[in-house]
Amino acid sequence: MEDRKSSLEIISPGLPKELDILSIFDKCILPEDSFTKGIISNVLCKDQNADHVSFNKVLFKNVKFDNVSFKYLDLVDVRFENCDLSNVNFSQSVIHKVEMINCKMVGMNMSESALRNVLFEECDGSYALFRFLDCKQVGFKNSSLGSADFYKAKFSKVAFNNSNLQQTGMSGVSLKGIDLSSCNIEGLGVTVADLDGCIVSPEQVISFSKLLGLIIKR
């Protein structure tokens, strides 16, 4: 687990060793429904739309989400493993002590959510919406975030390790103290002000030189 955390002290989900099987997606989830201490595995979650749903100490494993909107979601001590969360709407949610491991998150909407102690590892978050995200103690590791949108997100102790940030939008995001040196940042959408204090590799400086209007002579 230490390798997953990298240099951040991310608190892992506090899942019990034994979890009861939760069979909840064979019915309509209602607003403010709450589910706790269980495992949901090898199922399809389809055509669900409910606000203020909460999951506490729940493991999602091999779950596919299709046409799902859980706005104002409350996730605490939750792990997603090998799940397909493409195009789900988790906007304006509270997400604390959560791991997403080897998940497909293409087009996922987490805009305006608050993330605390969250790890994304081996995930595909291409085209995901992270606009106005509030992140603290959040790690992205070996993940693809190509063309994702972090417009005006707030970062505090956020790490990007060996991740794809091609064409990722980070306009209005302060990257001070954020280390992008191990990432592919080709076409990263930022301004000069956004990059103030950002940690990059010598090779990446050349990519960012266009923002400064510099011509590199070789």
Side-chain angles (χ1 to χ4, degrees), residues 25 40 55 58-61 63 65 78-81 83:
F25 294 142
I40 302 169
F55 293 93
V58 174
L59 171 61
F60 291 87
K61 194 169 185 177
V63 178
F65 293 77
V78 173
R79 180 182 294 125
F80 294 85
E81 294 181 6
C83 293

Side-chain angles (χ1 to χ4, degrees), residues 31-44:
E32 300 188 13
D33 272 352
S34 180
F35 307 95
T36 185
K37 294 183 180 178
I39 179 171
I40 302 169
S41 63
N42 302 305
V43 296
L44 171 66

Side-chain angles (χ1 to χ4, degrees), residues 7 9 24 26 32 35 59 62 73 82 98 110 117 148 153 215:
S7 59
E9 293 296 327
I24 63 173
D26 54 354
E32 300 188 13
F35 307 95
L59 171 61
N62 303 314
L73 181 66
N82 307 313
V98 170
M110 275 193 179
N117 289 289
I215 298 174

Side-chain angles (χ1 to χ4, degrees), residues 88-203:
V88 300
N89 184 0
F90 286 177
S91 61
Q92 302 179 71
S93 298
V94 175
I95 301 173
H96 179 45
K97 291 194 293 182
V98 170
E99 291 181 342
M100 293 193 176
I101 310 298
N102 194 33
C103 290
K104 186 176 181 182
M105 312 184 315
V106 177
M108 167 189 274
N109 185 358
M110 275 193 179
S111 297
E112 300 180 71
S113 295
L115 275 60
R116 299 291 186 271
N117 289 289
V118 177
L119 173 66
F120 300 89
E121 184 172 354
E122 303 285 352
C123 291
D124 183 359
S126 304
Y127 301 99
L129 293 177
F130 298 122
R131 296 169 67 90
F132 301 100
L133 206 64
D134 184 349
C135 296
K136 187 173 183 179
Q137 306 292 130
V138 175
F140 297 88
K141 184 176 180 182
N142 299 328
S143 294
S144 177
L145 299 164
S147 298
D149 187 357
F150 286 88
Y151 178 73
K152 288 196 174 180
K154 293 195 293 186
F155 289 168
S156 177
K157 297 182 179 179
V158 174
F160 293 89
N161 296 297
N162 299 311
S163 292
N164 177 19
L165 299 177
Q166 287 183 289
Q167 305 298 324
T168 302
M170 291 192 176
S171 177
V173 179
S174 173
L175 295 173
K176 185 175 183 179
I178 304 297
D179 189 344
L180 301 181
S181 62
S182 65
C183 299
N184 183 342
I185 49 83
E186 183 178 354
L188 184 68
V190 290
T191 67
V192 174
D194 299 330
L195 289 172
D196 185 25
C198 182
I199 302 169
V200 298
S201 69
E203 294 77 17

